[in-house]
Amino acid sequence: LAAGDRVEVRLEPEGLQRNDLDPDIAAALAANRAAGEFFEGLAQFYRTAYIRWITATKRNPDQRPIRLAEVVRLLEAGIKERPKST
């Protein structure tokens, strides 16, 4: 490139977006506007942490809806990060 050359710049959102989420997670965020909007405003690090916590239930699938409801509650309350268990 030289000074004055034209370049094309393309910006894309970073990381997980709603259309990348599992259907149940996307539906829960769509059903709770405040939680969905807060999720969209979070840094990628926080989004990923919430999603990993929900999806880490493969061995105990009955925990998934419980965790999903907890995440929606936390997001609705404007909490960036899930409190760590003691």
Side-chain angles (χ1 to χ4, degrees), residues 1-73:
L1 294 175
D5 285 353
R6 289 184 174 251
V7 295
E8 181 179 329
V9 176
R10 192 169 113 192
L11 300 176
E12 294 182 7
E14 178 187 16
L16 292 171
Q17 304 301 309
R18 279 201 199 190
N19 59 346
D20 300 323
L21 301 175
D22 291 340
D24 61 337
I25 299 171
L29 293 176
N32 186 312
R33 184 177 175 180
E37 288 178 359
F38 190 75
F39 178 82
E40 288 176 352
L42 285 176
Q44 186 57 36
F45 170 82
Y46 296 111
R47 287 184 189 193
T48 301
Y50 271 132
I51 300 306
R52 282 186 181 158
W53 187 64
I54 294 169
T55 59
T57 57
K58 295 203 186 297
R59 291 186 183 176
N60 198 358
D62 58 315
Q63 285 296 306
R64 185 179 175 104
I66 295 167
R67 288 186 179 190
L68 180 53
E70 177 68 5
V71 166
V72 169
R73 184 188 69 76

Side-chain angles (χ1 to χ4, degrees), residues 45-46 49-50 53 81-86:
F45 170 82
Y46 296 111
Y50 271 132
W53 187 64
E81 190 171 19
R82 181 182 63 83
K84 304 296 182 221
S85 300
T86 56

